[in-house]
Amino acid sequence: MSKAAAGLSPFARMGFLFRAMTPWRLAHSYQREVLLVGSVGLAAFYWTALVSFTPIDASWVAVNYPDVTPTNLAGALGANLAGLSLFLFGLVAWLLPLPLLTSAVMIVRRAESATAHSRLLGWALATSCLAALAALQFPVVTWRGFDFPSGGVVGSSLAKFLVHWLGKVGGLIAVGTFALTSVLLVFRRSLLEPMAKTWKKPLWWDKVLHR
């Protein structure tokens, strides 16, 4: 424990340790590359579980009798992981590894904003918006003879809330607004600043009018 954290309260000390272990502070390149390789491996395992998912496999959201060995290529853990992901997020479950992979690449490039709170909030907001949009546009999809909510429980709950309070059109407007906000938070770039620079330049009709 460093001297800087010695006089802090327990909660403040935990926060200090968390900041000290922030991934982009890894001192050596090989450490950051180990993180990237691990992230790619986790994503590959997760996508394998989704590709080979079948509703007849026992999981946290499904039960079969008699109990048999799962046919999922990722084993029992993959069956449980795929079933829970599809149950919670529906089709959006396929996109869940993207924040992890993107953050790992940014950490390798030593980008200090890789795990910024605003970017993490943007990823969460984008995931929620996609799930809600899927639930609003096509509530139920069929895959391998299994009907499930396109946006999962998360998307269905958000869609039900939005339609109840804002109506379907108002819900779509709200989802679009939050989706654009999530883009700004994830990319941490201004969309209007480049346009403002363009507006400052004289346009072709300005040259005609001032001849």
Side-chain angles (χ1 to χ4, degrees), residues 8-20:
L8 299 177
S9 65
F11 289 106
R13 195 173 302 166
M14 289 177 61
F16 180 87
L17 291 175
F18 178 78
R19 287 192 296 271

Side-chain angles (χ1 to χ4, degrees), residues 192-203:
L192 297 179
E193 186 175 352
M195 299 174 63
K197 292 180 180 179
T198 302
W199 293 336
K200 292 179 181 179
K201 298 179 181 179
L203 302 175

Side-chain angles (χ1 to χ4, degrees), residues 73-97:
L73 295 178
L77 178 59
N80 283 283
L81 183 61
L84 184 62
S85 299
L86 291 171
F87 175 75
L88 290 176
F89 298 101
L91 297 177
V92 183
W94 289 89
L95 304 178
L96 293 182

Side-chain angles (χ1 to χ4, degrees), residues 6 13 30 32 37 46 50 66 72 79-80 83 90 114 124 140 159 171 182:
R13 195 173 302 166
Y30 80 89
R32 297 189 294 274
V37 171
Y46 175 80
L50 285 183
N72 195 295
N80 283 283
V140 179
S182 70

Side-chain angles (χ1 to χ4, degrees), residues 3-193:
K3 294 181 179 180
L8 299 177
S9 65
F11 289 106
R13 195 173 302 166
M14 289 177 61
F16 180 87
L17 291 175
F18 178 78
R19 287 192 296 271
M21 293 185 295
T22 303
W24 54 262
R25 293 184 185 274
L26 296 176
H28 302 286
S29 297
Y30 80 89
Q31 293 175 324
R32 297 189 294 274
E33 291 170 8
V34 166
L35 178 64
L36 176 61
V37 171
S39 300
V40 172
L42 287 174
F45 178 85
Y46 175 80
W47 277 322
T48 300
L50 285 183
V51 167
S52 57
F53 169 77
T54 175
I56 64 174
D57 283 340
S59 65
W60 289 318
V61 295
V63 178
N64 59 7
Y65 183 83
D67 192 16
V68 295
T69 302
T71 60
N72 195 295
L73 295 178
L77 178 59
N80 283 283
L81 183 61
L84 184 62
S85 299
L86 291 171
F87 175 75
L88 290 176
F89 298 101
L91 297 177
V92 183
W94 289 89
L95 304 178
L96 293 182
L98 293 183
L100 174 64
L101 294 175
T102 303
S103 299
V105 171
M106 294 183 67
I107 289 170
V108 170
R109 299 176 61 183
R110 298 189 67 86
E112 295 191 2
S113 62
T115 56
H117 293 168
S118 58
R119 176 166 275 124
L120 297 179
L121 175 62
W123 283 120
L125 193 59
T127 302
S128 301
C129 287
L130 288 174
L133 181 62
L136 285 170
Q137 293 301 101
F138 38 95
V140 179
V141 294
T142 302
W143 187 43
R144 296 184 177 179
F146 175 58
D147 294 336
F148 62 93
S150 60
V153 173
V154 173
S156 298
S157 301
L158 291 174
K160 184 178 180 180
F161 175 84
L162 292 173
V163 170
H164 176 75
W165 290 102
L166 304 177
K168 186 169 184 179
V169 175
L172 289 173
I173 293 174
V175 169
T177 302
F178 286 118
L180 183 58
T181 302
S182 70
V183 171
L184 293 170
L185 290 173
V186 169
F187 288 96
R188 295 166 62 90
R189 293 289 187 273
S190 173
L191 298 180
L192 297 179
E193 186 175 352

